[in-house]
Amino acid sequence: MTVLPIRTFDDPALRVPAEPVRDFDRELRRLVKAMTVTMRAGAGRAGLAAPQVGEPLRVLVYDYDGRAGHLVNPRLELSERRVVADEACLSAPGVWWPLERSYMVTARGRDMFGKPVTLRALGVLARVLQHEADHLDGVLFSDHLEAAERERFLAAALPSG
């Protein structure tokens, strides 16, 4: 399976909220598999959302610390406890930035066959799920930063010129 190109932070397609998946068909399974291959193609990759590979659908894949899978049409329930940790994005390669997120998340959605899935995650995996779910809503993690921090992040993340 081919590694898909990943859209960068300056691509306007990343700002468009993704559409819910309605058809749990062969094309969806092919997308999940291609996204998983793409996510695993480089070091440090823990998650990927369909809009990052040009598919405006509510699909994300994850693989962190021995827990791997995917969620279709995910809904997240966030804990009140929040922590700050460095975060990165495949759409802004090589740039890490501190960001506050919920420490725990319960994610509910479907698998690629339409079967219900519930996933509870702590720490980094919870962060990964929140980050990828944001992509499904057209939100970039830099949107969570204060204005001055966002400017510094974008200066580091986007190619100049």
Side-chain angles (χ1 to χ4, degrees):
M1 185 148 285
T2 305
V3 172
L4 303 171
I6 296 174
R7 306 225 173 180
T8 58
F9 249 55
D10 56 349
D11 190 321
L14 293 177
R15 292 300 194 169
V16 178
E19 293 294 320
V21 171
R22 300 194 194 300
D23 298 322
F24 292 81
D25 57 10
R26 181 178 298 149
E27 288 303 311
L28 175 63
R29 291 187 290 282
R30 188 172 303 152
L31 173 63
V32 169
K33 289 173 186 170
M35 287 174 59
T36 301
V37 166
T38 301
M39 173 187 60
R40 291 178 174 159
R45 296 177 171 197
L48 183 66
Q52 290 179 276
V53 294
E55 292 292 336
L57 293 171
R58 298 190 71 78
V59 178
L60 64 82
V61 297
Y62 62 89
D63 187 349
Y64 182 78
D65 200 25
R67 294 181 72 186
H70 64 278
L71 287 168
V72 179
N73 300 332
R75 298 171 319 284
L76 303 185
E77 299 166 19
L78 307 176
S79 70
E80 290 184 26
R81 179 179 171 199
R82 298 179 63 84
V83 293
V84 175
D86 282 349
E87 193 163 317
C89 182
L90 295 177
S91 294
V95 181
W96 291 80
W97 216 265
L99 182 66
E100 184 177 80
R101 294 261 191 199
S102 290
Y103 178 71
M104 186 178 79
V105 66
T106 300
R108 300 178 198 287
R110 306 243 171 222
D111 70 10
M112 65 178 131
F113 301 101
K115 187 173 143 188
V117 173
T118 299
L119 172 66
R120 287 179 181 79
L122 303 171
V124 175
L125 184 55
R127 177 173 296 277
V128 168
L129 295 173
Q130 291 169 79
H131 179 107
E132 302 312 333
D134 274 354
H135 275 300
L136 302 180
D137 293 329
V139 174
L140 301 175
F141 88 90
S142 58
D143 296 344
H144 297 290
L145 301 173
E146 297 291 330
E149 280 295 297
R150 186 178 315 115
E151 280 185 37
R152 284 193 289 282
F153 170 82
L154 292 174
L158 296 176
S160 58

